[in-house]
Amino acid sequence: MPLSVFAVIQAKPGAEAELRNGLFNLVAKVREEDACLLYELYTSEEHPEHFIMHERWTDAAGLAAHNQMPHMREFGALAKDWLAAPVELTTTEV
């Protein structure tokens, strides 16, 4: 069963551009994953340090595989310096 994920991401003050660039680079890589049906990044107009990622995956196994991809680990290592708080994830069935 397909799953949707909504990730709310908040940049540290002064790290907005670095985080945005890192997320844009990540989007291109994730969209190539077999289980990825949708991967879109949004930036808040009111709060430019807030980002929302909308994801759709073929199933739970595809999402689990995504979380283990090398590009996700690489992004996680970089993003720890850019994030103001842990990423808030909400997963729903489509």
Side-chain angles (χ1 to χ4, degrees), residues 15-37:
E16 298 88 354
E18 289 175 302
L19 180 57
R20 183 182 312 101
N21 290 338
L23 288 167
F24 277 126
N25 290 332
L26 185 64
V27 166
K29 294 174 184 174
V30 172
R31 286 180 176 169
E32 294 178 6
E33 294 179 35
D34 290 339
C36 180
L37 301 173

Side-chain angles (χ1 to χ4, degrees), residues 32-44:
E32 294 178 6
E33 294 179 35
D34 290 339
C36 180
L37 301 173
L38 175 79
Y39 204 76
E40 294 185 339
L41 177 64
Y42 303 93
T43 304
S44 170

Side-chain angles (χ1 to χ4, degrees), residues 48-63:
E49 72 279 6
H50 289 203
F51 303 90
I52 298 171
M53 190 72 75
H54 178 204
E55 311 171 20
R56 186 161 295 148
W57 299 95
T58 55
D59 54 24
L63 176 57

Side-chain angles (χ1 to χ4, degrees), residues 59-90:
D59 54 24
L63 176 57
H66 159 70
N67 290 327
Q68 300 304 313
M69 292 287 177
H71 50 264
M72 292 304 295
R73 286 194 293 267
E74 291 168 12
F75 176 78
L78 293 170
K80 66 180 171 57
D81 294 330
W82 305 329
L83 297 175
V87 175
E88 296 177 34
L89 297 173
T90 301

